[in-house]
Amino acid sequence: MGHGHEHHHDHASAAGTDVPPALDLSIPDAELPPGDLNRRGFLRNAGLLGAGAATTVLASGTPALAGGHGHGGDHGHGPGGDHGTTGGFRWLAGDHHIHTQYSSDAMYRVIDQAKHARAYGLDWMVVTDHGSATHAKIGVEKVNPDIVAARARLKDLLIYQGLEWNIPAAEHATVFVHPGRNEVAVLKEFENSFDGSVRNAGDNTPANEALAVAGIKFLGEAVRKRRVEGALFLANHPARRGIDSPHEIRAWRDADPSVAIGMEGAPGHQAAGLPRESGGRARGYYDNSPSANSFPGYPLESYRTWGGFDWMTSTVGGLWDSLLAEGRAWWISANSDSHVNYLDTSQRGPGSDFDLNGRYNDPVYGPLITDAGDYWPGQYSRTHVGASGFSYRAVMDGLRAGRVWVDHGGLIKGLDVRARIAGDRRGNSGTPLGGVLRVKRGTSVEVTIDVDLADIPNWSQFLPALARVDVIAGRVTGPVADQDAFTAPDTRVVKSFEVTRKTGRVSFSYSFGRVDRPFYLRVRGTDGKRSQPGLMGAAVDPFGPALDVPGAADPWEDLWFYANPIWVLPQ
């Protein structure tokens, strides 16, 4: 790869206790070697380091992630020679929401999930067994040797340890840390101190909301105190029960934007939507109704998926866009939420006593599972991270930076989206996903989209065909007065491109003309098999994803990809 990229290994040992010098603010910039200085600058510029962490991309003095003229920032100096390299980054596919026999409602060994993840093309994964009294007491420690052993056996797969946090007053979240000597200690202390189930803090009270914020701050402090090199939080299935209110999401992000980085744009459990004799369930198990703890402002449509994606993400001009219009860096992901997998032939080991042992006995051969709602990691959903190399640190940095796009069913092979000064087509120019392009007021700006089309059949044995790519854009208006706002009235689909080519690469560009107001853009694509006008109306989203109907929502017949945003700030 070109200069400026880190080598494909961690400079800090996975067994070490210290974070890299770049994150140790007690070391002056002048004493850092060039590589660490570049990384510190990248994180600081992204508003992700130190007391100056930016509330929004509009924060005064917050430099762009890429140069004012669209030149690449600390990464991305042209295409490299590595497999999977697009736009100067090594795109690593992963899954941050996976359960094992250490979850009360799952059954697979860590190595089972890891081997399948690798076989289905993943480069990284996170073990996220459910937070609970049993897990906090013994499970979080017991699973670690299995993770360490899997890391040793599968050296081409990055395996993080995490947990699925019962967020006080809210839903669930993935929490995970960089491997190291303190990974278990930090996770155990976090779970015992802040898990909503362990602390009996599930109701939506102000005290419980404050406990959730304190938990995120604890993780940030664990990094700053050099107990772990990194820690990340992503809200899971955020609209499933309607209990993640807009003000809570904003509070999580603002508690520590270097830790709380985003949410599942699409939930797992996608196989639940398959038609079957039993009638089937909803995709993602999104078949709930409002409860006493639900946010009363959400519409009933929010309790269902749309094209397999969470309502917060799929609604153009909806909650995700309301955050982006504020300038809040809040990213989306996709994953399997694998517990028990469709068409597998396993069952829990006989004689299991989960409450006593914190785990089920190893699975054994059993009958064909036809009613399960899950796929193996990587079999259907993938989160693609633009990383500077193959390392735990590089994946976490890429996630923090928002260099992420997600897809279902292998809809596309690769994606590169750049905001550029009009006409600039140099290989090392343009602002990538998650970035901020700062330009002089009146500068002509465009977005370029390069899509590598699928070239091999997916795991349902057909070659997906991309039919349309949409450009979505909205004005950046700054922080809102109402922390429970969840609409962005100025956001809409500004351009749709029909895709007629079936192989190779397709490229598109859209001009925003001479810009004088800040805005953001994001991109999505579809196989075009199911669509309907969006919830905000056809003038906003004429051909958006369709509402999924329980029992009649074959996930393989409704494929989408979504990419994270880019901001353009004229000055």
Side-chain angles (χ1 to χ4, degrees):
M1 300 178 74
H3 80 90
H5 295 278
E6 67 176 356
H7 300 297
H8 296 171
H9 57 267
D10 283 323
H11 293 290
S13 167
T17 60
D18 291 347
V19 298
L23 298 184
D24 183 359
L25 297 182
S26 68
I27 302 175
D29 288 2
E31 296 180 12
L32 291 174
D36 287 324
L37 182 61
N38 285 342
R39 187 184 183 218
R40 176 179 288 181
F42 163 70
L43 294 173
R44 181 183 286 141
N45 292 349
L48 300 177
L49 185 65
T55 301
T56 73
V57 299
L58 297 172
S60 176
T62 304
L65 297 187
H69 295 290
H71 301 295
D74 75 320
H75 303 303
H77 299 281
D82 293 324
H83 174 71
T85 300
T86 301
F89 303 110
R90 185 170 183 181
W91 290 92
L92 303 178
D95 186 323
H96 70 75
H97 190 174
I98 299 168
H99 295 269
T100 75
Q101 64 197 122
Y102 295 90
S103 285
S104 61
D105 54 357
M107 65 176 179
Y108 300 114
R109 298 172 299 177
V110 170
I111 194 63
D112 297 331
Q113 294 284 29
K115 288 172 66 177
H116 280 87
R118 197 68 197 97
Y120 284 117
L122 297 190
D123 303 290
W124 60 273
M125 59 171 275
V126 185
V127 175
T128 54
D129 292 308
H130 288 292
S132 66
T134 300
H135 185 263
K137 182 179 179 181
I138 54 178
V140 68
E141 291 174 316
K142 279 193 168 186
V143 71
N144 183 258
D146 295 357
I147 293 174
V148 171
R151 288 171 181 160
R153 289 183 62 180
L154 299 173
K155 296 185 182 299
D156 56 352
L157 179 68
L158 304 170
I159 307 173
Y160 298 88
Q161 181 169 352
L163 58 88
E164 185 164 22
W165 183 27
N166 297 293
I167 310 173
E171 255 281 7
H172 299 164
T174 286
V175 166
F176 68 103
V177 298
H178 190 286
R181 184 160 26 181
N182 293 321
E183 62 185 321
V184 173
V186 169
L187 289 171
K188 188 178 182 72
E189 184 177 348
F190 169 81
E191 187 175 2
N192 277 291
S193 300
F194 302 105
D195 187 82
S197 176
V198 175
R199 297 292 303 274
N200 192 27
D203 291 339
N204 60 342
T205 65
N208 289 342
E209 291 183 9
L211 184 64
V213 167
I216 292 169
K217 290 182 176 180
F218 167 87
L219 293 170
E221 283 300 304
V223 176
R224 282 182 282 278
K225 291 178 179 177
R226 306 172 71 175
R227 298 181 66 192
V228 289
E229 181 176 340
L232 292 178
F233 159 105
L234 289 139
N236 293 340
H237 36 75
R240 186 178 65 174
R241 295 194 290 144
I243 61 175
D244 289 3
S245 64
H247 73 265
E248 286 176 283
I249 294 173
R250 288 181 168 93
W252 301 336
R253 193 269 179 188
D254 292 349
D256 192 322
S258 69
V259 172
I261 61 170
M263 64 186 181
E264 289 181 354
H269 307 309
Q270 291 286 328
L274 288 167
R276 59 192 87 190
E277 291 184 3
S278 63
R281 294 278 302 273
R283 291 175 77 170
Y285 294 136
Y286 273 51
D287 51 10
N288 298 285
S289 300
S291 68
N293 285 322
S294 299
F295 176 66
Y298 288 150
L300 290 176
E301 293 91 342
S302 69
Y303 292 84
R304 302 292 181 264
T305 53
W306 296 71
F309 277 72
D310 186 288
W311 162 87
M312 293 185 183
T313 295
S314 60
T315 300
V316 175
L319 192 146
W320 187 32
D321 285 316
S322 76
L323 299 173
L324 304 182
E326 288 188 274
R328 292 178 189 268
W330 188 251
W331 318 126
I332 62 164
S333 62
N335 50 72
S336 64
D337 199 355
S338 173
H339 288 72
V340 178
N341 297 324
Y342 179 66
L343 298 185
D344 186 32
T345 54
S346 301
Q347 62 184 14
R348 290 173 184 154
S352 297
D353 188 335
F354 186 87
D355 291 336
L356 177 64
N357 298 318
R359 67 191 290 275
Y360 291 107
N361 293 339
D362 290 351
V364 297
Y365 178 73
L368 184 70
I369 302 172
T370 57
D371 271 347
D374 306 343
Y375 289 114
W376 291 103
Q379 186 179 3
Y380 183 76
S381 303
R382 299 178 297 173
T383 295
H384 304 262
V385 178
S388 58
F390 184 77
S391 73
Y392 289 97
R393 189 185 82 182
V395 169
M396 296 183 86
D397 281 352
L399 286 166
R400 285 191 194 93
R403 280 196 305 271
V404 175
W405 61 274
V406 304
D407 79 304
H408 280 165
L411 176 58
I412 60 175
K413 181 181 179 180
L415 178 69
D416 187 44
V417 181
R418 302 269 171 160
R420 302 176 182 271
I421 291 178
D424 185 356
R425 292 295 188 276
R426 291 171 296 167
N428 67 343
S429 68
T431 298
L433 299 177
V436 181
L437 173 63
R438 294 183 187 269
V439 296
K440 292 182 179 179
R441 196 176 303 274
T443 300
S444 292
V445 172
E446 62 182 345
V447 60
T448 59
I449 307 164
D450 296 307
V451 184
D452 293 322
L453 300 174
D455 57 6
I456 58 172
N458 59 25
W459 298 107
S460 275
Q461 304 308 313
F462 67 90
L463 186 66
L466 181 67
R468 191 181 75 247
V469 174
D470 298 322
V471 179
I472 299 162
R475 188 160 60 95
V476 176
T477 55
V480 294
D482 179 5
Q483 294 298 294
D484 276 322
F486 60 87
T487 62
D490 294 316
T491 299
R492 63 184 178 90
V493 176
V494 297
K495 179 66 176 179
S496 292
F497 299 98
E498 300 300 320
V499 180
T500 57
R501 187 169 180 172
K502 302 302 180 185
T503 61
R505 169 175 287 193
V506 292
S507 298
F508 309 101
S509 65
Y510 175 74
S511 174
F512 292 94
R514 296 184 179 276
V515 300
D516 59 2
R517 295 190 299 179
F519 69 95
Y520 71 94
L521 64 96
R522 61 183 180 90
V523 173
R524 73 182 182 195
T526 176
D527 62 2
K529 293 182 178 180
R530 293 182 70 241
S531 65
Q532 70 178 70
L535 277 176
M536 300 300 179
V540 171
D541 187 9
F543 301 105
L547 177 69
D548 292 320
V549 178
D554 187 335
W556 299 97
E557 291 295 315
D558 188 16
L559 304 180
W560 293 78
F561 79 77
Y562 282 70
N564 274 306
I566 304 171
W567 285 270
V568 177
L569 304 183
Q571 298 176 321

